Amino acid sequence: MSVLIRGGRIVTAADDYVADVFVEDERIALIGESLDIQADKVIDAAGKYVLPGCIDPHTHLDMPFGGTVTIDDVESGQTAAAFGGTTCHVDFVIQGKGQTFAQALDDWRAKAAGKQVIDMGYHMAVTDLADGGTLEELATLPDQGVTSYKLFMAYKGALMVDDETLYRTMEVAATTGALVMVHAENGDVIDVLVKEALAAGHTEPLYHALTRPPEAEGEATNRAIQLAHLAGAPLYVVHVSCKESVEPIAAAREKGWDVWGETCTQYFFTSLDDIAKPDFEGAKYVFSPPVRDKSNWDVLWNAVRTDTLSAISTDHCAFLFDGQKTLGKDDFSKIPNGGPGLENRLQMIHEFGVRAGRISLNRMVELLATSPAKLFGLYPRKGTIAIGSDADIVVFDPGKQVTISAKAQHSKVDYNLFEGTTVTGSPDVVLLRGHVLVENDELVASPGIGQYVARARFGQELKPARTAVA
Ligand code: URP
Ligand code: ZN
Ligand code: ZN
């Protein structure tokens, strides 16, 4: 099937111009002015932006966590992503205690089978090197396109690893060409603070934030940076929420160290005021790192504008308010940690980043598509509009007004962190490898169309390919 996208404003991380895009055999075949060519489908993009499909490098679909399982499975989560203009994401495989990495990968592949609406890759979250996965097995993962290792420095007694596991994994990454990712919060200290808060009778959601102070994030970020430098491994700090964590990343990058960081949409818009809401409403804002003081919003906008932080993800980890968050009604430490966001990242960053004059349109594309593609071994097959790249394209209408609401969303979750926010600018048509996924506010394609993408090693390019590796 061929598609001609006529007269749109093509915006990449570097360019901004009006042209036609011709798509054939799932890839971008031609870009030019007033192309004289026949196509099976023509999309009039006059007055609209033609953007590369966004890439979300941080999601948790169908993941057991906090005594329950995230509410969005691969089908509902990826459907929400498609409506939001995201055409590829990298999800976290979590190694269960005692599991080999192969077993963990098999589990995650089984959850995705037949359900994929967009393309996806996997990171491997290492939780146990003592009994199950070995360093030797870890070293083989990049051969299967799993080219990033994630370590949790928090969630004591669950996903948290000690510094030995962290450092040994970094040593493996230094030799295999994998990128190390860290959830940087000091889990031991948080555990003490949580116990002290509960002993003092503090059970409400606000104490989730008060027991995870910015210093705990700053300390862990700095520790991970120093250890990664020692091991010679590249490092990516996920979900940076505050100045205390931005500063060590900025310092490392100024020294030319191989350190990158992301923040997530929610950290620009949520604060301690939200988690302090009465009647357990604050539980909707229980995620980690927690909401912070509002003074951090400007710190984060500045960091993404200046490339101290290089990507904006969603950390979509959705739990129902009614039935899942309520597990912690009487004890904030039992509220499953995580929030939704997969559907609204592009709308929110366009509205409050680009339209508000905080970042340029090119920078938005870089933060949501091109940088994640480059950092996670997907570029130039994905993350840009170029001849030969996968035809993952968002025709974005900069004049379309949408009021964000849980009622209208495609995720299964029963709330939205940005409820009631009106944005001007939203995806109109979304294509995955030239197949129309979303048009006229309908999902047009069927689950099964998405593919697994074997990612290139850190720093290497992923060449455009006709057939994806299954
Ligand atoms: O609260 C969060 N962020 N839940 C998802 C797991 C993680 O830490 O990324
Ligand atoms: Zn995390
Ligand atoms: Zn996460």
Side-chain angles (χ1 to χ4, degrees), residues 58 150 152 155 183 238-239 288 315:
H58 188 158
K150 163 84 176 284
F152 291 92
Y155 304 130
H183 172 132
V238 302
H239 50 40
S288 299
D315 191 7

Side-chain angles (χ1 to χ4, degrees), residues 110-427:
K111 294 181 209 223
K115 291 186 172 181
Q116 284 182 240
V117 178
I118 63 173
D119 286 354
M120 74 187 300
Y122 293 120
H123 312 287
M124 178 58 71
V126 177
T127 65
D128 181 11
L129 286 175
D131 176 28
T134 62
L135 294 169
E136 291 70 29
E137 194 197 0
L138 193 57
T140 67
L141 295 180
D143 297 334
Q144 299 165 62
V146 178
T147 54
S148 38
Y149 308 144
K150 163 84 176 284
L151 299 119
F152 291 92
M153 299 168 77
Y155 304 130
K156 189 168 179 173
L159 303 176
M160 178 172 145
V161 296
D162 58 15
D163 284 352
E164 178 179 347
T165 303
L166 174 63
Y167 188 70
R168 286 191 187 280
T169 301
M170 288 172 167
E171 285 185 327
V172 174
T175 62
T176 61
L179 176 62
V180 175
M181 307 170 77
V182 283
H183 172 132
E185 286 186 296
N186 187 317
D188 282 321
V189 170
I190 288 167
D191 193 54
V192 172
L193 296 175
V194 169
K195 284 180 176 144
E196 286 174 356
L198 290 173
H202 299 303
T203 58
E204 59 272 44
L206 173 63
Y207 280 86
H208 171 75
L210 299 185
T211 55
R212 306 182 86 99
E215 290 87 342
E217 186 179 338
E219 182 280 329
T221 301
N222 185 49
R223 184 167 19 121
I225 289 171
Q226 300 298 332
L227 295 180
H229 186 62
L230 186 64
L235 180 74
Y236 181 90
V237 184
V238 302
H239 50 40
V240 171
S241 72
C242 60
K243 176 164 92 46
E244 286 74 2
S245 181
V246 167
E247 282 175 349
I249 293 170
R253 289 176 64 71
E254 271 160 32
K255 285 184 275 192
W257 292 9
D258 285 340
V259 172
W260 289 266
E262 68 168 27
T263 188
C264 313
T265 323
Q266 56 273 25
Y267 292 113
F268 297 109
F269 305 105
T270 55
S271 75
L272 292 168
D273 291 352
D274 294 304
I275 202 166
K277 284 180 182 163
D279 302 328
F280 199 61
E281 186 76 8
K284 294 177 179 172
Y285 303 87
V286 168
F287 38 77
S288 299
V291 290
R292 301 292 187 194
D293 184 276
K294 280 181 185 163
S295 63
N296 288 288
W297 294 356
D298 278 347
V299 173
L300 295 176
W301 281 118
N302 213 25
V304 294
R305 192 174 53 74
T306 57
D307 204 37
T308 294
L309 297 179
S310 306
I312 302 172
S313 73
T314 65
D315 191 7
H316 183 90
C317 185
F319 296 104
L320 293 170
F321 177 68
D322 195 0
Q324 291 188 297
K325 290 286 185 184
T326 43
L327 290 170
K329 197 109 185 74
D330 303 317
D331 174 349
F332 71 88
S333 72
K334 295 197 167 59
I335 301 170
N337 283 206
L342 204 36
E343 198 158 343
N344 306 116
R345 179 178 57 146
L346 174 57
Q347 290 169 330
M348 291 294 285
I349 300 302
H350 175 260
E351 178 70 26
F352 297 99
V354 178
R355 273 172 47 82
R358 292 184 170 105
I359 55 171
S360 69
L361 205 46
N362 297 106
R363 181 65 183 154
M364 180 188 80
V365 170
E366 193 166 31
L367 288 162
L368 304 188
T370 316
S371 283
K374 287 184 176 171
L375 285 162
F376 291 100
L378 293 162
Y379 188 85
R381 188 166 147 195
K382 296 188 182 290
T384 193
I385 305 273
I387 291 175
S389 294
D390 283 0
D392 298 351
I393 296 174
V394 179
V395 179
F396 183 91
D397 183 348
K400 184 166 163 182
Q401 275 214 346
V402 173
T403 298
I404 294 171
S405 76
K407 260 203 183 120
Q409 72 194 7
H410 300 85
S411 158
K412 285 190 203 159
V413 76
D414 55 357
Y415 71 98
N416 190 302
L417 292 174
F418 317 118
E419 186 73 33
T421 305
T422 298
V423 296
T424 304
S426 198

